C-alpha cells in the first residue's frame, strides 16, 4: 500500500469508473487497474465487487475508504501547516457551519476577515450540526461553527461564545405578534413549519417530550430560508434559533413557553488540530464581532 494506491482507490470509489480516475489523475487506465488489483492482493481480501454497472464496497472496503479519506486529508492538512511555518500564511481556511450562525454571525466575520487577510480564501461548508461534526472528524474542514445544546466529546474541543435560545417565530402581522407572552394554549391554535433535522430539531423534540406537546407540524424542511419564506404572510408558526432571525424586520420572535435546555453558538475543532495563526485570527475575530454586537444591543 502506498499513497498513490490510496488516492486511486478513493477516487475509484467516488467516480465508479477507472477511466474517470485515470483522467483525473493524469495516468493511464491500465495503471489504475494495476494499482487496484495490487491493493486487493496486498490485503488478501476483496475490497469491492461489481454490481450491475457500479461497484459495491465490501465491509473491508468501506473501512479502507473511510480511513483513506481521513489519512489523505491529514496529509494535506500537514502539508498546509508546514507551509504556514514557511510563509506565515495559507491560501484557504476550511470552515464548516450549521445554518443558524451562517445567517447572522458569520457573514460579518467573513467580511472582516477577508478585508484584513486578502490572501486567504474561505472554503465554507454549510450543513446540519451533526454532519458538520462528522466532516470535522474526517478532516474535511478545520473548524466548525455550530449551534448546540450539549456537546462533550474527548476528541473535540468546544468553545461557547454566544447563547442561542430557541424561539417561536412568526410573521409580523401574525395574530400573536403583539402578545407579550405566549402560552401552550396559544401555540396549539396554529400549524407549524419546523426543521427536519440538526441541533434545532433536537431542541424542538426535547421541548415536545418534556412538555408533552403535540405540534401540528404541516411542513418540515432542512432549509432555514424555505421555513422563513413559508411563514411570511401566513399564520404558520415556527421554532427557530434566535441568532437566525434577530435582524429580520419582517419576522417576530417570542420566548418558547417552558423552553428547552439553553443552546449556544460554539466553535468546535479537533483536539489534535494545530491552531495556526490563520485559524487563531479567525476565532478571535468571531469573538470580537459577537462582543461588538452585544455592546450595540
Amino acid at each position: 500500500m502506498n499513497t498513490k494506491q490510496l488516492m486511486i482507490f478513493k477516487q475509484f470509489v467516488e467516480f465508479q469508473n477507472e477511466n474517470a480516475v485515470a483522467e483525473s489523475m493524469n495516468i493511464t487506465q491500465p495503471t489504475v487497474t494495476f494499482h487496484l488489483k495490487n491493493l486487493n492482493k496486498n490485503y488478501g481480501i476483496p475490497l469491492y465487487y461489481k454490481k450491475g454497472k457500479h461497484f459495491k464496497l465490501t465491509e473491508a472496503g468501506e473501512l479502507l475508504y473511510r480511513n483513506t479519506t481521513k489519512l489523505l486529508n491529514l496529509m494535506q492538512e500537514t502539508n498546509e501547516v508546514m507551509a504556514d511555518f514557511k510563509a506565515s500564511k495559507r491560501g484557504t481556511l476550511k470552515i464548516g457551519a450549521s445554518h443558524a450562525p451562517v445567517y447572522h454571525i458569520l457573514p460579518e466575520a467573513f467580511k472582516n476577515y477577508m478585508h484584513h487577510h486578502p490572501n486567504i480564501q474561505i472554503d465554507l461548508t454549510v450543513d446540519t450540526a451533526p454532519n458538520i461534526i462528522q466532516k470535522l472528524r474526517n478532516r474535511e474542514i478545520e473548524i466548525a461553527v455550530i449551534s448546540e445544546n450539549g456537546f462533550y466529546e474527548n476528541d473535540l474541543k468546544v468553545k461557547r461564545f454566544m447563547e442561542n435560545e430557541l424561539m417561536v417565530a412568526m410573521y409580523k402581522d401574525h395574530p400573536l405578534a403583539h402578545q407579550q407572552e405566549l402560552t401552550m394554549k396559544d401555540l396549539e391554535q396554529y400549524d407549524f413549519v419546523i426543521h427536519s433535522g440538526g441541533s434545532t430539531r433536537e431542541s424542538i423534540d426535547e421541548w415536545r417530550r418534556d412538555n408533552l406537546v403535540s405540534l401540528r407540524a404541516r411542513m418540515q424542511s432542512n432549509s432555514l430560508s424555505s421555513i422563513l419564506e413559508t411563514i411570511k404572510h401566513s399564520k404558520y408558526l415556527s421554532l427557530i434559533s434566535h441568532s437566525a432571525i434577530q435582524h429580520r424586520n419582517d419576522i417576530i420572535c417570542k420566548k418558547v413557553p417552558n423552553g428547552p435546555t439553553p443552546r449556544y453558538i460554539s466553535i468546535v475543532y479537533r483536539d489534535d488540530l494545530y491552531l495556526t495563526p490563520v485559524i487563531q485570527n479567525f476565532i478571535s475575530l468571531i469573538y470580537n464581532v459577537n462582543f461588538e454586537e452585544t455592546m450595540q444591543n
Side-chain angles (χ1 to χ4, degrees), residues 69-137:
T69 299
K70 293 178 182 178
L71 179 60
L72 293 176
N73 286 336
L74 177 59
M75 292 174 63
Q76 180 181 349
E77 179 183 304
T78 301
N79 289 334
E80 291 174 350
V81 170
M82 292 301 104
D84 283 347
F85 281 112
K86 182 177 180 180
S88 298
K89 64 180 182 179
R90 182 164 7 165
T92 304
L93 178 61
K94 298 175 183 177
I95 301 172
S98 58
H99 296 277
V102 163
Y103 280 85
H104 170 50
I105 299 166
L106 290 179
E108 193 63 31
F110 288 152
K111 285 189 287 186
N112 288 345
Y113 187 81
M114 290 186 290
H115 175 73
H116 290 100
H117 302 84
N119 295 324
I120 306 297
Q121 286 188 329
I122 294 175
D123 185 351
L124 174 65
T125 300
V126 181
D127 209 327
T128 61
N131 288 342
I132 289 297
I133 292 303
Q134 188 58 47
K135 292 179 185 297
L136 192 67
R137 286 198 165 104

Side-chain angles (χ1 to χ4, degrees), residues 3 11 24 28 37 52 55 57 76 82 119 122 126 187 198 212 223 245 247 252-253 256 260 269 274 286 294-295:
T3 303
Q11 294 209 20
S24 173
T28 64
K37 286 183 177 180
F55 293 88
L57 290 176
Q76 180 181 349
M82 292 301 104
N119 295 324
I122 294 175
V126 181
L187 303 186
L212 302 177
S223 167
I245 52 177
H247 289 320
I252 302 296
C253 59
V256 178
Y269 54 89
Y274 172 75
I286 291 179
T294 300
M295 294 297 292

Side-chain angles (χ1 to χ4, degrees), residues 10-250:
K10 181 178 183 295
Q11 294 209 20
F12 173 69
V13 173
E14 294 170 356
F15 289 145
Q16 293 278 306
N17 184 285
E18 293 184 3
N19 288 324
V21 176
E23 183 177 349
S24 173
M25 298 186 65
N26 197 27
I27 55 179
T28 64
Q29 184 270 327
T31 300
V32 173
T33 303
F34 171 78
H35 282 295
L36 290 175
K37 286 183 177 180
N38 274 353
L39 199 58
N40 280 274
K41 183 178 179 181
N42 288 343
Y43 283 114
I45 51 176
L47 300 174
Y48 57 86
Y49 58 91
K50 195 162 186 179
K51 187 175 182 180
K53 295 183 179 180
H54 299 285
F55 293 88
K56 180 75 173 178
L57 290 176
T58 63
E59 187 175 353
E62 289 278 5
L63 177 62
L64 180 61
Y65 174 71
R66 289 197 301 270
N67 287 349
T68 293
T69 299
K70 293 178 182 178
L71 179 60
L72 293 176
N73 286 336
L74 177 59
M75 292 174 63
Q76 180 181 349
E77 179 183 304
T78 301
N79 289 334
E80 291 174 350
V81 170
M82 292 301 104
D84 283 347
F85 281 112
K86 182 177 180 180
S88 298
K89 64 180 182 179
R90 182 164 7 165
T92 304
L93 178 61
K94 298 175 183 177
I95 301 172
S98 58
H99 296 277
V102 163
Y103 280 85
H104 170 50
I105 299 166
L106 290 179
E108 193 63 31
F110 288 152
K111 285 189 287 186
N112 288 345
Y113 187 81
M114 290 186 290
H115 175 73
H116 290 100
H117 302 84
N119 295 324
I120 306 297
Q121 286 188 329
I122 294 175
D123 185 351
L124 174 65
T125 300
V126 181
D127 209 327
T128 61
N131 288 342
I132 289 297
I133 292 303
Q134 188 58 47
K135 292 179 185 297
L136 192 67
R137 286 198 165 104
N138 289 341
R139 299 180 182 274
E140 297 174 43
I141 57 176
E142 293 165 307
I143 60 174
V145 185
I146 64 169
S147 176
E148 52 87 19
N149 64 348
F151 192 84
Y152 305 99
E153 301 288 344
N154 292 332
D155 60 331
L156 301 174
K157 289 188 176 180
V158 180
K159 295 185 179 295
R160 291 175 168 173
F161 66 92
M162 175 183 175
E163 190 166 344
N164 190 32
E165 190 176 3
L166 186 70
M167 307 293 287
V168 180
M170 65 198 75
Y171 187 59
K172 62 182 181 180
D173 292 336
H174 194 281
L176 297 178
H178 300 292
Q179 195 162 310
Q180 290 297 319
E181 293 185 1
L182 302 181
T183 65
M184 292 294 188
K185 189 173 182 179
D186 292 327
L187 303 186
E188 291 172 355
Q189 300 178 54
Y190 297 96
D191 293 331
F192 278 75
V193 179
I194 61 175
H195 286 264
S196 58
S199 62
T200 299
R201 180 54 182 265
E202 290 173 1
S203 290
I204 293 172
D205 290 343
E206 174 194 333
W207 175 72
R208 292 165 77 175
R209 287 193 303 269
D210 291 347
N211 294 278
L212 302 177
V213 176
S214 179
L215 290 183
R216 302 200 320 244
R218 293 292 306 281
M219 172 180 165
Q220 301 180 49
S221 173
N222 64 355
S223 167
L224 178 60
S225 296
S226 68
I227 292 174
L228 294 177
E229 286 303 310
T230 302
I231 67 174
K232 281 176 61 176
H233 304 291
S234 78
K235 291 185 179 181
Y236 292 122
L237 299 176
S238 187
L239 293 163
I240 297 175
S241 299
H242 184 249
S243 67
I245 52 177
Q246 68 182 71
H247 289 320
R248 294 276 305 234
N249 296 325
D250 56 339

